[in-house]
Amino acid sequence: MPLYKAPLRDMQFVLHEMLHTEQNYQGLSKYQESVNRELIDQYLEAAADFCENELAPINQNGDQEGCHLNQGVVTTPKGFKEAYQKYAELGFTSLTADPEYGGQGLPTLLRIAISEMLCGSNWAWAMYPGLSHGAMRTIEHHGTEQQKQQYLTKLISGAWTGTMCLTESHAGSDLGLIRTKAEPNPNGSYSIMGEKIFISAGEHDLSENIIHIVLARLPQAPTGTKGISLFIVPKFNVSDDGQVLDRNKVVCSAIEHKMGIHGNATCVLNFDGAKGYLIGPENRGLNCMFTFMNTARIGTAVQGLAASEISFQGALSYAKERLAMRSLSGPQYPEKNADPIIVHPAVRSMLMTQKAFSEGGRALAYFLAQHVDIVESSNDQQQQKHSDELLAFLTPIAKAFLTESGNESAKHGVQVFGGHGFIVEHGMEQIVRDARISTLYEGTTEIQSLDLLARKVLKSEGKLLKNMTDLIDQFIGQQQSNEVLKPYLEKLAELKQQWLSLTKTIADKAKHNPEEIGAASVDYLYFSSYVVFAYLWARMAQVAHEKLESGTQEEAFYKAKLTTAKFFYQKLLHRTQSHAASIESGAESVMELDQDAFAF
């Protein structure tokens, strides 16, 4: 199994040198007194120690053992419960929560950085506290004061965990089709009836109670998404003062047999008249959920980033040690029987691709998390609006591309190992299996691409796209005298113009044939993603160049950053052109074949 090492130096590079976290958060009154570089680094170091020494050692065993279901009770793999107890004791469950209810009130950016380490060291385990965050935010934003006192305080302390119960077998991502019912009771509660599937962390032994946030329909509710309400349904009923009572009528009837993330209990939950409580307005359940959807999707993007990072770490260590053949330019290590495979260009190309995706993905995820904090904390309405629009545009890109690039990186990790990568003991195949889900849940890549192109770009008539291209223009203008960055700036300017042109082409074609949007959307998302990465890599190159110019004791680190930027621009960015060609070819060949003509 790859020995996970938290990439603290690169995390600090993005947080402190690229995003200037301490300086920027001084402009947010909520964080003026609490956020500084020393505090951030202390939390990162504590999380790194926990992930390296507590989570990573139980990752592979958790995958092999899996979860156990016995008469509705799920037992997690050996060591998972003890790790969760220590996690809660360290205060990580309360990191970003409201101090009024026991939270520490720290920024989302810090939580996202720590989440990267949790997912990189043990993806399946990380999903248990990760799901609680969504439940916390829902109650924090939409719960009554009574609900906050009753449920939120225990969730924040980590004594209880939470889930989000959305999916049903016949509905999938189309939540407008859900059938779960909520019948009102005389005492103001509701009886919840129905079945939910794919509920991550839906039943387990880590905490004394689980608080389910459930989508269901009230009697006479409108059809479709406009008739969905949101309910709190605890595993154990809870008294008004927050004490655990009798078992509620919600039972885990099965745990899914999955391709990966075996250490996480993905449950089928049956609600057989379970007692629930309305949260938020009637028939506005989806609207309530959208308040944290961006953060949830960024969290999934971070899982893709984590897959890139851990697969890179495993492949790099192996490539330095594995001896095979000689360099084409002659022996590099003549004292050995063969050269380490890292000397071979094909291997180096895979490693550099992993490195470019990992470090670029980190920059994008942290960049977005910073804008989440601005939206939630800034007193400047114009700044909030700008950040909110950037989030709306970039979140589908981050969710889709970081998970797709994470899967590509995981594939490269196995490939670097050769046949040994296919063998369980090395742990590289587990990364492939675990990472595969990330492109599916929280909206598939295809759904994210439609969201980006149809809703965010075309529906806004290009306004949300312009916010991003304006950032590119500003950066080019600021750095136009920087000769070192000239190749990057020229390419960025060219791609920005092509981006706008492709968008217009799709919009024009869609006036005559709406299917053009669907046919172009995935390629459009990939094109957009590579351009966003190009912008971020140019920014990172600019920081690295300035550090080298001013003199530094970390010359190797900053030179590696410049080299990786160069690799991305020369070896990966050309992928935009194949996506552009596919977009320009239109929808005809996609839609021409009659569905009955698809033959086996």
Side-chain angles (χ1 to χ4, degrees), residues 118-135:
L118 297 175
C119 295
S121 57
N122 194 325
W123 185 319
W125 183 94
M127 292 177 68
Y128 290 102
L131 269 295
S132 295
H133 182 72

Side-chain angles (χ1 to χ4, degrees), residues 8-193:
L8 288 176
R9 181 62 190 93
D10 200 65
M11 296 170 79
Q12 291 165 343
F13 171 83
V14 176
L15 289 167
H16 303 313
E17 299 171 56
M18 178 187 169
L19 297 180
H20 305 291
T21 300
E22 183 176 48
Q23 175 186 336
N24 288 331
Y25 279 64
Q26 291 305 301
L28 301 175
S29 57
K30 179 179 177 180
Y31 302 119
Q32 281 178 348
E33 302 299 322
S34 61
V35 175
N36 56 65
R37 179 166 184 161
E38 182 181 6
L39 177 81
I40 290 170
D41 288 348
Q42 285 176 349
Y43 270 99
L44 293 181
E45 288 164 9
D49 179 70
F50 174 74
C51 291
E52 292 170 3
N53 297 305
E54 302 291 336
L55 292 189
I58 60 174
N59 182 29
Q60 191 170 34
N61 289 340
D63 175 66
Q64 293 171 353
E65 179 186 347
C67 295
H68 311 281
L69 175 65
N70 182 18
Q71 296 184 331
V73 176
V74 170
T75 305
T76 54
K78 183 179 179 181
F80 273 42
K81 184 174 183 178
E82 293 77 9
Y84 180 77
Q85 291 170 343
K86 183 164 185 179
Y87 179 80
E89 289 169 4
L90 288 168
F92 289 122
T93 60
S94 64
L95 199 68
T96 59
D98 188 340
E100 185 176 347
Y101 303 97
Q104 300 177 59
L106 292 170
T108 294
L109 176 58
L110 181 58
R111 184 184 64 80
I112 288 294
I114 291 173
S115 178
E116 181 201 333
M117 292 186 273
L118 297 175
C119 295
S121 57
N122 194 325
W123 185 319
W125 183 94
M127 292 177 68
Y128 290 102
L131 269 295
S132 295
H133 182 72
M136 278 188 242
R137 284 180 63 87
T138 305
I139 297 172
E140 198 171 60
H141 283 261
H142 302 290
T144 64
E145 185 57 34
Q146 171 64 25
Q147 289 171 338
K148 292 177 183 178
Q149 295 292 345
Q150 202 170 0
Y151 302 103
L152 188 56
T153 53
K154 294 290 183 70
L155 285 167
I156 289 172
S157 73
W160 298 351
T161 57
T163 74
M164 305 302 296
C165 298
L166 317 180
T167 308
E168 299 177 13
S169 58
H170 62 281
S173 297
D174 191 351
L175 295 175
L177 299 176
I178 69 166
R179 297 172 185 156
T180 300
K181 295 179 181 179
E183 295 286 345
N185 296 320
N187 64 359
S189 67
Y190 294 81
S191 291
I192 311 298
M193 300 285 295

Side-chain angles (χ1 to χ4, degrees), residues 304-305 307-308 311 357 401-411 435:
L305 155 61
S308 288
S311 60
F357 282 152
F401 189 67
L402 266 60
T403 57
E404 292 287 355
S405 58
N407 273 266
E408 181 178 339
S409 293
K411 182 206 75 168

Side-chain angles (χ1 to χ4, degrees), residues 484-495:
V484 172
L485 293 186
K486 187 176 180 180
Y488 303 142
L489 302 181
E490 290 177 348
K491 190 64 180 175
L492 256 182
E494 176 189 324
L495 285 170

Side-chain angles (χ1 to χ4, degrees), residues 131-132 134-135 138 161-169 171-172 175 178-181 192 194-203 210-217 228-235 250-252 265-271 274 285-286 289 292-293 442:
L131 269 295
S132 295
T138 305
T161 57
T163 74
M164 305 302 296
C165 298
L166 317 180
T167 308
E168 299 177 13
S169 58
L175 295 175
I178 69 166
R179 297 172 185 156
T180 300
K181 295 179 181 179
I192 311 298
E195 181 182 86
K196 298 289 185 178
I197 66 168
F198 301 160
I199 309 305
S200 301
E203 162 64 20
I210 302 173
I211 308 304
H212 304 292
I213 306 296
V214 183
L215 287 180
R217 291 188 182 281
I228 300 175
S229 298
L230 203 58
F231 298 87
I232 297 172
V233 184
K235 172 182 173 180
V250 51
V251 177
C252 174
T266 306
C267 300
V268 176
L269 293 183
N270 291 103
F271 298 84
L286 279 186
M289 287 185 56
F292 63 85
M293 196 60 74
E442 288 296 336

Side-chain angles (χ1 to χ4, degrees), residues 304-317:
L305 155 61
S308 288
E309 176 64 37
I310 187 58
S311 60
F312 170 61
Q313 289 189 16
L316 178 61
S317 296

